[in-house]
Amino acid sequence: MWLINSSIGRKLIMSISGIMLVLFLLFHGLMNMVVIFSADAYNAICAFLGANWYALIATKGLALGFMVHILYAMYLSFQNLKARGKERYAVTDKQDKVSWASQNMLVLGLIVFGFLALHLYHFWSKMQLVEIGHMLGKHVGDIDKAVDGAYWITYWFSQPVYAIIYLVWLSALWFHLTHGVWSSLHSLGLNNQTWLPRVKCISNIFATLVVLLFVSVVVYTYVYQNFVL
Amino acid sequence: MEKTINVTLKVWRQAGPKAQGKFETYKLNNVSTDSSFLEMMDILNEQLISERKEPVAFDHDCREGICGMCSLYINGHPHGPDGEITTCQLHMRKFKDGDTITIEPWRSAAFPVIKDLMVNRGAYDKIIQAGGFVSVNTGGVPDGNAIPISKIYADEAMDAASCIGCGACAAACKNGSAMLFVAAKVSQLALLPQGKVERATRAKAMVAKMDELGFGNCTNTGACEAECPKNISISHIARLNREFLSAKIKD
């Protein structure tokens, strides 16, 4: 199967799974923004995306996307390490045009993935998981708070330590996306001499906006809870 | 006015493909800044021979930047610290008196060391043999002017064709990927009417050969473009991806 056996096929899978994840991030970020304007509206979205059949299917699809992206990243990195040969260069120097993020995508990805575990504990395990548990008859967690997403946002982001951890996480994500977004388009072949700088520029603006969507909620909640209220 | 400098060279010495290599340090005095890097290597070898030592083996041929024979990873850069030139076009005026210059062979699993600084770049020839050509039937030669080609395509094909196959792209790549080389070769032919006929089979055959020979997977870092002595753009890699994917989807 050429998707697995050929290098460009493998890159295609990285690219498509990456684009899927970025589109999810865009949706997730836009959804989060709602909480700044109205906690009730945000909770309505949370209720809408609870343990319903469509939300569960989407969650499974998302988990699959993550797994494919991460496993392929590991596989590709291993192959690339092997292709480099046993002997390493004694002296290496960096090139001006090569971004730091592009050389460290695996490390950045692992940082993003590591914090993701914390994030799933903070929100998913308190919300959708509790609902799933109740549906299956296991009454663990507080079902009343399971649809109260605004409560959890306030609870975690009003604590400075978590606000900072999330900002560190989001900055790693930003670095990952500054290379990832344009690179995924490049791997799909959607680029040429004229569009190369444009695609890079548009992708970086897009990546920055996506990350800012998340940052704004963290910063807003922290400032509002600690200094305004 | 001629100026001379004294340099310390750290050169990778390896007796053969299987032998364990190591760095040797040599001091070279009164090197003219007008001399080229390879002339400096010649001076080093003359010095070694006069000391009854084995000279350093390194690849070189035309010494005017068009054959793609010279290599050398100098101070962390393929073809040295200067941009858009091959090692033979690098001059000693780029170095300062008292500098230590580290010279290593290309390091990539697909480019095994033959001796010292020489590596076997036959892998690139094998990729070309797999599909980097246009099949021509014998017979009358068609008039070149009978086939109109737009200036844009002609220029881009020419830019791609300037690839000399030196291997700097794979040597610079953290993934040991040969994508820039393969992309340039696929591009130069896919852009022109004569090469369009076999574009799908060519892209598939060359990529398959590249993967088979153990080159890595491209992650679009752009190190290849930055180090390419002919400044070949990574936009050709996007074209190769396009050619390959559309060929596979059509199957």
Side-chain angles (χ1 to χ4, degrees), chain B residues 152-208:
Chain B
I152 299 164
Y153 286 131
D155 282 354
E156 204 159 335
M158 194 62 205
D159 286 347
S162 66
C163 168
I164 51 175
C166 65
C169 42
C173 178
K174 81 174 179 67
N175 308 320
S177 169
M179 279 289 272
L180 192 65
F181 167 75
V182 179
K185 299 302 175 191
V186 165
S187 253
Q188 80 181 47
L189 297 174
L191 283 163
L192 300 177
Q194 295 91 335
K196 277 209 168 98
V197 183
E198 292 163 296
R199 63 197 291 183
T201 46
R202 180 184 304 116
K204 284 186 285 185
M206 290 180 81
V207 169

Side-chain angles (χ1 to χ4, degrees), chain A residues 161-183:
Chain A
V161 57
Y162 289 119
I164 288 166
I165 284 177
Y166 271 78
L167 290 179
V168 170
W169 180 33
L170 290 169
S171 58
L173 180 67
W174 180 79
F175 274 112
H176 195 78
L177 292 185
T178 53
H179 180 68
V181 177
W182 83 264
S183 180

Side-chain angles (χ1 to χ4, degrees), chain A residues 147-167:
Chain A
V147 288
D148 196 354
Y151 165 80
W152 290 111
I153 287 183
T154 311
Y155 180 75
W156 295 115
F157 295 156
S158 60
Q159 303 176 43
V161 57
Y162 289 119
I164 288 166
I165 284 177
Y166 271 78
L167 290 179

Side-chain angles (χ1 to χ4, degrees), chain B residues 38-116:
Chain B
L38 292 187
E39 281 167 343
M40 183 275 294
M41 293 298 287
D42 293 337
I43 297 168
L44 169 70
N45 276 347
E46 278 176 21
Q47 184 177 308
L48 287 174
I49 290 166
S50 70
E51 291 168 3
R52 303 204 165 273
K53 285 181 189 158
E54 177 99 4
V56 178
F58 62 93
D59 271 324
H60 61 103
D61 191 19
C62 75
R63 298 207 179 195
E64 56 182 16
I66 55 168
C67 75
M69 246 348 252
C70 59
S71 52
L72 308 187
Y73 200 85
I74 304 159
N75 284 350
H77 292 280
H79 295 300
D82 207 1
E84 291 179 45
I85 53 157
T86 55
T87 296
C88 62
Q89 295 169 301
L90 178 67
H91 283 81
M92 292 311 291
R93 54 177 169 267
K94 288 285 166 193
F95 299 93
K96 287 196 277 299
D97 191 37
D99 270 2
T100 299
I101 306 170
T102 308
I103 310 169
E104 299 172 72
W106 282 177
R107 296 205 190 282
S108 175
F111 290 157
V113 172
I114 299 170
K115 191 181 180 185
D116 296 340

